[in-house]
Amino acid sequence: MHINNIVFSNVFADITNADGKPVFMGKNINIKLKDIEQNDNDSKIPLAFKEFKIDAKEVHIGVNEFYQINADQIFAANKTLDLRKFHLQPIQKPENYNAKNIFDFSSERLLATDFNISKDSLIVSDITFTHPDLKVTSTGKNIVEKDKNPKEVEMKIGLKNIDFQKGKIAVLQANKDKTASVDNFNFKLTNIVFDKNTVKEKIPFRFTNHDIEADNIYFKANNLQALKIKKISSRNSNIIVEKFQMIALGKSAHKDLFNVTTDEIKIINNKTKYIGQKLNIQFDGLEVKTPDIKVISATQKSKPKKGKSETPEFNAKLGFIKISNGKISQSSLGKEKLAVGKFDIQLNNIVSNNEQLKKICQSISQVI
């Protein structure tokens, strides 16, 4: 289907479905579209147009039965899209989602420039999210039903630059227990491509460069261990981690626990990426300054259960590992069993994979 022009002026819209959920709602809507083409292929972009101008206030769009998009104001013209107080909002109870996680994403402003859309592609030069806020909540479901007839993605999305400014992230369990969070992150990616090939990969898009700054990172690995990082920064493939901590959250008679602090961890020339489903870890060097490692040994260690390892498939190649001015101690039942007041380590040309890691962990476990 082809339409030459569509024009709406100062329209108020209130369209709902049979369940009363919004399909499209908005105020003071002005729309001008030119040379509109409808695409019959569901795996491609449904509408394409050569020229567009849109502005509207208090907009609510029903994405599907589980999510809706809200925006205080939308303005689009001259290949620019500007959304104020953008919000992708979940609209049902967690137990109704056929998914392991629910996403709630908002941003004070979403600005996209040099915006080009056709039947087969969406190409944008720059996208900026100001004060983005992502909340990921687990539904508590370990298994979800897969689509028996998944649609093949036949469109291409290309982004020259994407920039997240002063954002935050929180990851919550179904009981609202926080398992991860990041405060005040700035994140830039360049030359991002999403298409029918990348969507099948572990990371569903490709990119060439990334810069990251993030403060106050927290990750709860389980009920016994958590990680804290004061700051992470990444520039030109070099990553600096400041004030890393591994924290024991409780006591266990069956598992060894760790309290670890370091002043700084530096990863030099990081080239890590997924190749298919396998993680390929590669960087020129790893420097760890002043690590303080405290091992609290279990008194009644549980025998490891046989079964599939939870460690993802990986290959690792490191130019060197340098640990300087470190110390380590081991205790059990409150009594110190081992202590090293200072140690320095330098290893060169390190390679590893899943099998080698398993053997190393078994050897360390036997020693401790």
Side-chain angles (χ1 to χ4, degrees), residues 256-271:
D256 294 337
L257 300 179
F258 299 86
N259 283 306
V260 180
T261 62
T262 66
D263 284 343
E264 183 181 273
I265 300 172
K266 185 182 290 185
I267 297 171
I268 301 168
N269 195 19
N270 178 38
K271 299 176 183 177

Side-chain angles (χ1 to χ4, degrees), residues 205-273:
F205 55 87
R206 292 193 305 269
F207 59 91
T208 54
N209 296 307
H210 67 277
D211 289 334
I212 303 170
E213 286 185 354
D215 298 330
N216 303 323
I217 298 98
Y218 174 83
F219 174 70
K220 185 177 179 181
N222 50 48
N223 290 328
L224 295 172
Q225 295 279 180
L227 303 178
K228 282 186 177 181
I229 297 171
K230 184 180 180 181
K231 186 179 181 68
I232 288 180
S233 56
S234 169
R235 288 285 184 277
N236 301 320
S237 299
N238 297 321
I239 301 172
I240 297 176
V241 179
E242 300 177 29
K243 302 295 183 183
F244 170 92
Q245 291 179 276
M246 178 183 286
I247 306 163
L249 299 177
K251 297 180 180 180
S252 175
H254 304 285
K255 294 186 70 174
D256 294 337
L257 300 179
F258 299 86
N259 283 306
V260 180
T261 62
T262 66
D263 284 343
E264 183 181 273
I265 300 172
K266 185 182 290 185
I267 297 171
I268 301 168
N269 195 19
N270 178 38
K271 299 176 183 177
T272 300
K273 61 182 178 180

